[in-house]
Amino acid sequence: MRLLKVATCNLNQWAMDFDCNMKNIKESISKAKEAGAVIRLGPELEITGYGCEDHFLELDTINHAWDCLKELLLGDWTNGILCSFGMPVIKGSERYNCQVLCLDRKILMIRPKMWLANDGNYRELRWFTAWKQKEHLEDFLLPTDISEALSQTVVPFGYGFIQFLDTAVAAEVCEELFSPMPPHAELSLNGVEVFMNASGSHHQLRKLDLRLRAFIGATHSRGGVYMYSNHQGCDGGRLYYDGCSCIVVNGDVVAQGSQFSLKDVEMAVAQVDLDAVASLRGSISSFQEQASCKTKVSSVAVPFKLCQSFKLPMSLSSPLKIHYHSPEEEIAFGPGCWLWDYLRRSGASGFLLPLSGGADSSSVAAIVGCMSQLVVKEITNGDEQVKADAIRIGRYTDGQFPTDSKEFAKRIFYTVFMGSENSSNATRTRAKVLAEEIGSWHHDLSIDVVVSALLSLFQTLTGKQPRYKVDGGSNIENLGLQNIQARVRMVLAFMLASLLPWVHNKPGFYLVLGSSNVDEGLRGYLTKYDCSSADINPIGSISKQDLRSFLRWAAVHLGYSSLAEIEAAPPTAELEPIRSNYSQLDEVDMGMTYEELSVYGRMRKIFRCGPVSMFKSYSPEDNRFDLRQFLYNARWPYQFRMIDELVKQVDGDRVAITKATDQETIGVTTEGGMGVVAAGSGNPSAGV
């Protein structure tokens, strides 16, 4: 047996914070060594952070990355362990996204990424060039200060693998795995047994299984050890990287990291038998045949042994049952973990949420409550970093720290019910009860005096007084009166977020949370500069249908039982007066149900349908993922003409079918004069 112990990791990096990133990298190497691993893999661009965006265009960023790599190599961090570090590298005049493979204080090779991620939320071609020279490795001249410090002038650069004395190892970077012709297929035929995939993959609902199927498929029919490392957390942008680093052997997952966590460093370690890889490959006839006529890939020979022989009491890592979260859990934990990273890194003292008692704002409140529960849980489990952050943000003194999630929420979470004459007692009560269950510092206020002052000013200016539609006003008046209420709430929210900490003798400011779901954004059913305008909107990429499922789940699993009643209530903005014969409802205002709207969202993004294709025939994201104009001819004259023609065609076909059926119909009339009418009777209702 050729036993090999390998380690991969989830790292919570912060773009451009090199001190933070280096601390996490060093801790991961230390933990890998403690576990006895001889290979340590970190995530893509781990030294700089993945989300540096246009900072990648700055030479400072490249230089800082080299300085950090030099620090790692001058210390004993790479002694006796193969480390793959992610960083940007400039070769000639081109900038590349690279994995730098190091061992014993030397750079073995630099592997540039060949297929860049450039769709969805990814824009790698804006900052990097794809490496296209697959035929051979090239010489890369190290920067002068690096060369002098390492006593190393030139290193191999390009596509290839490292041939050790007892196995072969290669890098495959993130997107390359998902390309039509992934490098691991060709590398397997060249004898590579261990693949290291450094990634920067963000969270999407219901997408983890696609990623894991790719790892499993890469080794199921070819054999091999597939290591995957990912970022985890908010690294400074709008994405949450969802970790789940893992190790797969011959199609079996033998180690899996968490998908959602508040930890800065988490390891996945496995002991594998490379002879099992060789045995599987030797049993597959087609693999043998293709390997015999393979295209040769360049390699770097390293006179070093990674494996050890079997000795008691050694044991191999066994296959695991893959752990998947339900969509409801993903909604709770993904945004919850992201909010914690944003809070602890922003300098804010907490969050403020306008809590209406409706489904959307209650979902956001529940997510913050979940975050508070996760913080207390990690502190209980002994995470000193989470504890230190919570003590600082919650302003604990005299050795105290959070032990109860409701008590912690009271320190960092304000909720405000901003009622008006159009608000019901039911929503006011729901907001109050939910706030008590979560533990937030809750306020209840009326905005009527502010709205009245603005309307009085308008009447003084114009001499006119607008009325609601139910009171005889026009659509323009009705919409204007609704919008002013919504916008007043936004202004008050930001004022309270700035001043309430001062009122309660707390330092800093609070971040305003928004509560507009993706369906309303797609439909345009929102007021500009209302609850959709905030510092952060945790549910901005989640559909109403998913949020309702989340509320039902959270009522049980988070312990906020009032959410069940909130979910069951009909969605309403409560911006129009309530009358005995009228009550405002969202789905009536929109002219469609949220379920129908969710279907439109899937058709538009997932199936890439325009209006006509939608007529014939999900995971909506923010503006960077679904790029379209914001000014439309909303009448869609050309497209709707086509739809009208299709309707006429369908109606014509239906009439033709009906007439054909009527030819065989015997006239029968009921006593009341209604019934099936014989064809040719001249009755205009025939065939309807």
Side-chain angles (χ1 to χ4, degrees), residues 16 48 212 244 260 312 573 600:
M16 299 302 292
T48 58
L212 284 168
C244 203
F260 308 107
L312 291 174
Y600 295 153

Side-chain angles (χ1 to χ4, degrees), residues 358-380:
D360 292 336
S361 62
S362 296
S363 295
V364 175
I367 288 171
V368 177
C370 178
M371 181 205 78
S372 299
Q373 293 182 16
L374 290 173
V375 168
V376 172
K377 180 180 178 180
E378 285 301 320
I379 293 173
T380 303

Side-chain angles (χ1 to χ4, degrees), residues 295-336:
T295 300
K296 187 175 180 180
V297 176
S298 300
S299 63
V300 177
V302 176
F304 186 87
K305 287 187 177 181
L306 292 175
C307 302
Q308 57 180 314
S309 301
F310 176 77
K311 297 177 183 177
L312 291 174
M314 291 180 176
S315 61
L316 298 177
S317 298
S318 302
L320 303 175
K321 181 181 179 181
I322 301 173
H323 177 67
Y324 293 109
H325 287 283
S326 68
E328 294 79 13
E329 290 174 325
E330 291 187 78
I331 292 172
F333 301 143

